Amino acid sequence: WILEVGDGRARVTKGGHGRLKLGIKGLAAIYSGFLTPGSAAVAGLCDGPDADLDAAASLFNGPAPWMPDMF
């Protein structure tokens, strides 16, 4: 898949060279902000060149997920 981002919009199309490889577990961890792409790579949840991991980090940059713990 190819992810193109610009002007505040994202578009996904079939194709690409598969430089950044990740499954649903890696995608969920990165998309939710639980892990950075670099941390996901260290955990074995994704694989790719450092430049592509850095690009993914800039796209999926956000606060860490949290939830109040009240009983």
Side-chain angles (χ1 to χ4, degrees):
W1 295 96
I2 299 170
L3 173 62
E4 296 175 293
V5 179
D7 297 327
R9 305 191 89 145
R11 186 174 86 157
V12 178
T13 56
K14 285 189 176 187
H17 301 287
R19 292 187 316 230
L20 188 60
K21 296 176 177 72
L22 66 156
I24 190 66
K25 290 178 184 179
L27 179 60
I30 293 169
Y31 181 79
S32 69
F34 181 70
L35 292 177
T36 64
S39 297
V42 170
L45 296 174
C46 73
D47 185 42
D50 288 340
D52 293 333
L53 292 171
D54 291 342
S58 68
L59 292 173
F60 295 102
N61 187 14
W66 65 277
M67 184 175 86
D69 188 8
M70 295 192 241
F71 295 97

Coordinates of all heavy atoms in Angstrom, one line a residue:
W1 N 0.8 -1.2 0.0 CA 0.0 0.0 0.0 C 0.9 1.2 0.0 O 2.0 1.2 0.6 CB -0.9 0.0 1.2 CG -1.9 -1.1 1.2 CD1 -1.8 -2.3 1.8 CD2 -3.1 -1.2 0.5 NE1 -2.8 -3.1 1.6 CE2 -3.7 -2.4 0.8 CE3 -3.8 -0.3 -0.3 CZ2 -4.9 -2.8 0.3 CZ3 -5.0 -0.7 -0.8 CH2 -5.6 -1.9 -0.5
I2 N 0.4 2.3 -0.6 CA 1.1 3.6 -0.6 C 0.2 4.6 0.2 O -1.0 4.7 -0.1 CB 1.2 4.1 -2.0 CG1 2.1 3.1 -2.9 CG2 1.9 5.5 -2.0 CD1 2.1 3.4 -4.3
L3 N 0.8 5.2 1.2 CA 0.2 6.2 2.0 C 0.7 7.6 1.5 O 1.9 7.8 1.6 CB 0.4 6.0 3.5 CG 0.0 7.1 4.4 CD1 -1.6 7.3 4.3 CD2 0.4 6.8 5.8
E4 N -0.1 8.4 1.0 CA 0.3 9.7 0.5 C -0.4 10.8 1.5 O -1.6 10.7 1.7 CB -0.2 10.0 -0.9 CG 0.5 9.1 -1.9 CD 0.0 9.3 -3.3 OE1 -1.2 8.9 -3.5 OE2 0.7 9.7 -4.1
V5 N 0.4 11.7 2.0 CA -0.2 12.7 2.9 C 0.2 14.0 2.4 O 1.4 14.3 2.1 CB 0.4 12.4 4.3 CG1 -0.1 13.5 5.3 CG2 0.1 11.0 4.8
G6 N -0.7 15.0 2.4 CA -0.5 16.3 2.0 C -1.7 17.2 2.2 O -2.8 16.7 2.1
D7 N -1.5 18.4 2.4 CA -2.6 19.4 2.6 C -3.6 18.9 3.6 O -4.8 19.1 3.4 CB -3.3 19.7 1.3 CG -2.3 20.3 0.2 OD1 -1.5 21.1 0.7 OD2 -2.5 20.0 -1.0
G8 N -3.2 18.3 4.7 CA -4.1 17.9 5.7 C -4.9 16.7 5.4 O -5.9 16.3 6.1
R9 N -4.6 15.9 4.4 CA -5.4 14.8 3.9 C -4.4 13.6 3.7 O -3.3 13.8 3.4 CB -6.1 15.1 2.7 CG -7.0 16.3 2.8 CD -7.9 16.4 1.6 NE -9.0 15.6 2.0 CZ -10.2 15.9 1.6 NH1 -10.5 16.8 0.8 NH2 -11.3 15.2 2.0
A10 N -5.0 12.4 3.8 CA -4.2 11.2 3.6 C -5.0 10.3 2.6 O -6.2 10.3 2.5 CB -4.0 10.4 4.9
R11 N -4.2 9.6 1.7 CA -4.8 8.8 0.7 C -4.0 7.5 0.7 O -2.8 7.5 0.7 CB -4.8 9.5 -0.6 CG -5.5 8.7 -1.7 CD -5.6 9.5 -3.0 NE -4.4 9.3 -3.7 CZ -4.2 9.4 -5.0 NH1 -5.2 9.9 -5.7 NH2 -3.1 9.2 -5.6
V12 N -4.7 6.3 0.6 CA -4.1 5.0 0.5 C -4.5 4.4 -0.8 O -5.6 4.3 -1.1 CB -4.5 4.1 1.7 CG1 -3.9 2.8 1.6 CG2 -4.1 4.8 3.0
T13 N -3.4 3.9 -1.5 CA -3.7 3.2 -2.8 C -2.8 1.9 -2.8 O -1.9 1.8 -2.1 CB -3.3 4.1 -4.0 OG1 -2.0 4.5 -3.9 CG2 -4.2 5.3 -4.1
K14 N -3.2 1.0 -3.7 CA -2.5 -0.2 -3.8 C -1.2 0.1 -4.5 O -1.1 1.0 -5.4 CB -3.2 -1.3 -4.6 CG -4.3 -1.9 -3.8 CD -4.9 -3.1 -4.6 CE -6.0 -3.7 -3.7 NZ -6.4 -5.0 -4.3
G15 N -0.1 -0.7 -4.2 CA 1.2 -0.5 -4.8 C 2.3 -0.3 -3.8 O 2.1 -0.7 -2.7
G16 N 3.4 0.2 -4.3 CA 4.5 0.5 -3.4 C 5.6 -0.6 -3.5 O 5.4 -1.6 -4.2
H17 N 6.6 -0.4 -2.7 CA 7.8 -1.3 -2.8 C 7.9 -2.1 -1.5 O 8.8 -2.9 -1.4 CB 9.1 -0.5 -3.0 CG 9.1 0.3 -4.3 ND1 9.2 -0.3 -5.5 CD2 8.9 1.6 -4.5 CE1 9.1 0.6 -6.5 NE2 8.9 1.8 -5.9
G18 N 7.1 -1.8 -0.5 CA 7.1 -2.6 0.7 C 8.3 -2.4 1.6 O 8.8 -3.3 2.2
R19 N 8.8 -1.1 1.6 CA 10.0 -0.8 2.4 C 9.7 -0.8 3.9 O 10.5 -1.2 4.7 CB 10.5 0.5 2.0 CG 11.1 0.5 0.6 CD 11.8 1.8 0.3 NE 11.1 3.0 0.7 CZ 10.8 4.0 -0.1 NH1 11.2 4.1 -1.3 NH2 10.1 5.1 0.4
L20 N 8.5 -0.5 4.3 CA 8.1 -0.5 5.7 C 7.1 -1.6 5.8 O 6.0 -1.6 5.2 CB 7.4 0.8 6.1 CG 7.1 1.0 7.6 CD1 8.4 0.9 8.4 CD2 6.4 2.3 7.8
K21 N 7.5 -2.6 6.6 CA 6.6 -3.8 6.7 C 6.1 -3.9 8.2 O 6.9 -3.8 9.1 CB 7.4 -5.1 6.4 CG 7.9 -5.1 5.0 CD 8.8 -6.3 4.7 CE 9.2 -6.5 3.3 NZ 10.2 -5.5 2.9
L22 N 4.8 -4.1 8.3 CA 4.2 -4.2 9.6 C 2.8 -4.9 9.5 O 2.2 -4.8 8.4 CB 4.0 -2.9 10.3 CG 3.1 -1.8 9.8 CD1 2.7 -0.9 10.9 CD2 3.8 -1.0 8.7
G23 N 2.5 -5.6 10.5 CA 1.2 -6.3 10.5 C 0.2 -5.4 11.3 O 0.5 -4.3 11.7
I24 N -1.0 -6.0 11.6 CA -2.0 -5.3 12.3 C -1.6 -4.9 13.7 O -2.0 -3.8 14.2 CB -3.4 -6.1 12.3 CG1 -4.5 -5.2 12.8 CG2 -3.2 -7.3 13.1 CD1 -4.8 -4.0 11.9
K25 N -0.8 -5.7 14.4 CA -0.4 -5.4 15.7 C 0.5 -4.2 15.7 O 0.4 -3.3 16.6 CB 0.3 -6.6 16.4 CG -0.6 -7.8 16.7 CD 0.2 -8.9 17.3 CE -0.6 -10.1 17.5 NZ 0.1 -11.2 18.0
G26 N 1.5 -4.2 14.8 CA 2.3 -3.0 14.7 C 1.6 -1.7 14.3 O 1.8 -0.7 14.9
L27 N 0.7 -1.9 13.3 CA -0.1 -0.7 12.9 C -0.9 -0.2 14.0 O -1.0 1.0 14.3 CB -1.0 -1.1 11.7 CG -1.9 0.0 11.2 CD1 -1.0 1.2 10.7 CD2 -2.8 -0.5 10.1
A28 N -1.6 -1.0 14.8 CA -2.4 -0.6 15.9 C -1.6 0.1 17.0 O -2.0 1.2 17.5 CB -3.1 -1.8 16.5
A29 N -0.4 -0.4 17.3 CA 0.4 0.2 18.3 C 0.9 1.6 17.9 O 1.0 2.5 18.7 CB 1.6 -0.7 18.6
I30 N 1.3 1.7 16.6 CA 1.8 3.0 16.0 C 0.6 4.0 15.9 O 0.7 5.1 16.3 CB 2.5 2.8 14.7 CG1 3.8 2.0 15.0 CG2 2.8 4.1 14.0 CD1 4.5 1.5 13.7
Y31 N -0.5 3.5 15.3 CA -1.7 4.4 15.1 C -2.2 5.0 16.3 O -2.6 6.1 16.4 CB -2.7 3.6 14.3 CG -3.9 4.5 14.0 CD1 -3.9 5.4 12.9 CD2 -5.1 4.4 14.7 CE1 -5.0 6.1 12.6 CE2 -6.2 5.1 14.4 CZ -6.2 6.0 13.3 OH -7.2 6.8 13.1
S32 N -2.3 4.1 17.4 CA -2.8 4.6 18.7 C -1.9 5.5 19.4 O -2.3 6.1 20.4 CB -3.2 3.4 19.5 OG -2.0 2.7 20.0
G33 N -0.6 5.5 19.1 CA 0.4 6.3 19.8 C 1.0 5.5 20.9 O 1.8 6.1 21.7
F34 N 0.7 4.3 21.1 CA 1.2 3.5 22.1 C 2.7 3.3 21.9 O 3.5 3.3 22.9 CB 0.5 2.1 22.2 CG 1.1 1.2 23.3 CD1 0.8 1.5 24.6 CD2 1.8 0.1 23.0 CE1 1.3 0.8 25.7 CE2 2.3 -0.7 24.0 CZ 2.0 -0.4 25.4
L35 N 3.2 3.1 20.7 CA 4.6 2.9 20.3 C 4.9 3.8 19.2 O 4.1 4.1 18.3 CB 4.9 1.5 19.9 CG 4.8 0.4 20.9 CD1 5.1 -1.0 20.3 CD2 5.8 0.6 22.1
T36 N 6.1 4.3 19.1 CA 6.7 5.0 18.0 C 7.1 3.9 16.9 O 7.3 2.8 17.3 CB 7.9 5.9 18.3 OG1 8.9 5.0 18.7 CG2 7.6 6.9 19.4
P37 N 7.2 4.3 15.7 CA 7.7 3.3 14.7 C 9.0 2.7 15.1 O 9.3 1.5 14.9 CB 7.7 4.1 13.4 CG 6.7 5.1 13.6 CD 6.7 5.5 15.0
G38 N 9.9 3.5 15.6 CA 11.2 3.0 16.1 C 11.1 2.0 17.2 O 11.8 1.0 17.2
S39 N 10.2 2.3 18.2 CA 10.0 1.4 19.3 C 9.3 0.1 18.8 O 9.6 -1.0 19.3 CB 9.1 2.0 20.3 OG 9.8 3.2 20.9
A40 N 8.4 0.2 17.8 CA 7.8 -0.9 17.3 C 8.8 -1.8 16.5 O 8.7 -3.0 16.6 CB 6.6 -0.5 16.3
A41 N 9.7 -1.2 15.9 CA 10.8 -2.0 15.2 C 11.6 -2.7 16.2 O 12.0 -3.9 16.0 CB 11.6 -1.0 14.3
V42 N 12.0 -2.1 17.3 CA 12.8 -2.7 18.3 C 12.0 -3.9 18.9 O 12.6 -4.9 19.2 CB 13.2 -1.7 19.4 CG1 13.8 -2.4 20.6 CG2 14.2 -0.7 18.9
A43 N 10.7 -3.8 19.0 CA 9.8 -4.8 19.6 C 9.6 -5.9 18.6 O 8.9 -6.9 18.9 CB 8.5 -4.2 20.1
G44 N 10.0 -5.7 17.3 CA 9.8 -6.7 16.3 C 8.4 -6.6 15.6 O 8.0 -7.6 15.0
L45 N 7.7 -5.5 15.8 CA 6.4 -5.3 15.2 C 6.4 -4.7 13.9 O 5.3 -4.6 13.2 CB 5.5 -4.5 16.2 CG 5.2 -5.2 17.5 CD1 4.5 -4.3 18.5 CD2 4.5 -6.5 17.3
C46 N 7.5 -4.1 13.5 CA 7.6 -3.5 12.1 C 9.1 -3.6 11.7 O 10.0 -3.7 12.6 CB 7.0 -2.1 12.0 SG 8.0 -0.8 12.8
D47 N 9.3 -3.4 10.4 CA 10.7 -3.4 9.9 C 10.8 -2.5 8.7 O 9.9 -2.4 7.9 CB 11.0 -4.9 9.5 CG 12.5 -5.0 9.0 OD1 13.4 -4.4 9.7 OD2 12.7 -5.7 8.0
G48 N 11.9 -1.8 8.7 CA 12.1 -0.9 7.5 C 13.3 0.0 7.7 O 13.9 0.0 8.8
P49 N 13.7 0.7 6.7 CA 14.9 1.6 6.8 C 14.6 2.7 7.8 O 13.5 3.1 8.0 CB 15.0 2.1 5.4 CG 14.2 1.2 4.5 CD 13.2 0.6 5.3
D50 N 15.7 3.2 8.4 CA 15.5 4.3 9.4 C 14.8 5.5 8.8 O 14.0 6.1 9.5 CB 16.9 4.7 9.9 CG 17.5 3.6 10.9 OD1 16.7 2.8 11.4 OD2 18.7 3.6 11.1
A51 N 15.1 5.8 7.6 CA 14.4 7.0 6.9 C 12.9 6.8 6.9 O 12.1 7.7 7.1 CB 15.0 7.3 5.6
D52 N 12.5 5.6 6.6 CA 11.0 5.3 6.5 C 10.4 5.3 7.9 O 9.3 5.7 8.0 CB 10.8 4.0 5.7 CG 11.1 4.1 4.2 OD1 11.1 5.3 3.7 OD2 11.5 3.1 3.6
L53 N 11.1 4.7 8.8 CA 10.6 4.8 10.2 C 10.5 6.2 10.7 O 9.5 6.5 11.4 CB 11.5 3.9 11.1 CG 11.6 2.4 10.9 CD1 12.7 1.8 11.7 CD2 10.2 1.8 11.2
D54 N 11.4 7.0 10.4 CA 11.4 8.5 10.8 C 10.2 9.2 10.1 O 9.5 10.0 10.7 CB 12.7 9.2 10.4 CG 13.9 8.7 11.3 OD1 13.6 8.1 12.4 OD2 15.0 9.0 10.9
A55 N 10.0 8.9 8.8 CA 8.8 9.5 8.1 C 7.5 9.0 8.8 O 6.6 9.8 9.0 CB 8.9 9.1 6.6
A56 N 7.4 7.7 9.1 CA 6.2 7.2 9.8 C 6.0 7.9 11.1 O 4.9 8.2 11.5 CB 6.3 5.7 9.9
A57 N 7.1 8.1 11.8 CA 7.1 8.8 13.1 C 6.5 10.2 13.0 O 5.7 10.7 13.9 CB 8.4 8.8 13.8
S58 N 6.9 10.9 12.0 CA 6.4 12.3 11.8 C 4.9 12.3 11.4 O 4.1 13.2 11.8 CB 7.2 13.0 10.7 OG 7.0 12.5 9.5
L59 N 4.4 11.2 10.7 CA 3.0 11.1 10.3 C 2.1 10.7 11.5 O 1.0 11.2 11.6 CB 2.8 10.1 9.2 CG 3.4 10.5 7.9 CD1 3.3 9.3 6.9 CD2 2.7 11.7 7.3
F60 N 2.6 9.8 12.3 CA 1.8 9.3 13.5 C 2.3 9.9 14.8 O 2.2 9.2 15.8 CB 1.9 7.7 13.5 CG 1.3 7.1 12.3 CD1 2.1 6.6 11.3 CD2 -0.1 7.0 12.2 CE1 1.5 6.0 10.1 CE2 -0.7 6.4 11.1 CZ 0.1 5.9 10.0
N61 N 2.6 11.1 14.8 CA 3.1 11.8 16.0 C 1.9 12.3 16.8 O 1.1 13.0 16.3 CB 4.0 13.0 15.6 CG 4.7 13.6 16.8 OD1 4.7 13.0 17.9 ND2 5.3 14.7 16.6
G62 N 1.9 11.9 18.0 CA 0.8 12.4 18.9 C 1.0 12.0 20.3 O 2.0 11.3 20.6
P63 N 0.1 12.3 21.2 CA 0.3 12.0 22.6 C 0.2 10.5 22.8 O -0.6 9.8 22.1 CB -0.7 12.8 23.3 CG -1.8 13.0 22.3 CD -1.1 13.1 21.0
A64 N 0.8 10.0 23.9 CA 0.6 8.7 24.3 C -0.9 8.5 24.8 O -1.5 9.4 25.4 CB 1.5 8.3 25.4
P65 N -1.4 7.3 24.5 CA -2.8 7.1 24.9 C -2.9 7.0 26.4 O -2.0 6.6 27.1 CB -3.2 5.7 24.3 CG -1.9 5.1 24.0 CD -0.9 6.1 23.8
W66 N -4.0 7.4 27.0 CA -4.2 7.3 28.4 C -5.7 7.1 28.7 O -6.6 7.3 27.8 CB -3.7 8.5 29.1 CG -4.4 9.8 28.7 CD1 -4.3 10.6 27.6 CD2 -5.6 10.4 29.4 NE1 -5.2 11.6 27.6 CE2 -6.0 11.5 28.7 CE3 -6.2 10.0 30.6 CZ2 -7.0 12.3 29.1 CZ3 -7.3 10.8 31.0 CH2 -7.7 11.9 30.2
M67 N -6.0 6.7 29.9 CA -7.4 6.6 30.3 C -7.4 6.8 31.8 O -6.6 6.3 32.6 CB -7.9 5.2 30.0 CG -9.3 5.0 30.4 SD -10.0 3.4 29.8 CE -9.5 2.4 31.3
P68 N -8.3 7.6 32.3 CA -8.4 7.9 33.8 C -8.8 6.6 34.5 O -9.6 5.8 34.0 CB -9.5 8.9 33.9 CG -10.3 8.9 32.7 CD -9.4 8.4 31.6
D69 N -8.2 6.4 35.6 CA -8.4 5.2 36.4 C -9.2 5.6 37.7 O -8.6 5.9 38.7 CB -7.1 4.5 36.7 CG -7.3 3.1 37.3 OD1 -8.4 2.6 37.4 OD2 -6.3 2.5 37.8
M70 N -10.5 5.6 37.6 CA -11.3 6.0 38.7 C -12.3 4.9 39.1 O -12.9 4.3 38.2 CB -12.1 7.2 38.4 CG -11.3 8.4 38.1 SD -12.3 9.9 38.1 CE -12.0 10.4 36.4
F71 N -12.4 4.6 40.3 CA -13.3 3.6 40.8 C -14.3 4.2 41.9 O -14.0 5.1 42.5 CB -12.6 2.4 41.4 CG -11.8 1.6 40.4 CD1 -10.4 1.9 40.3 CD2 -12.4 0.7 39.6 CE1 -9.7 1.2 39.3 CE2 -11.6 0.0 38.6 CZ -10.3 0.3 38.5

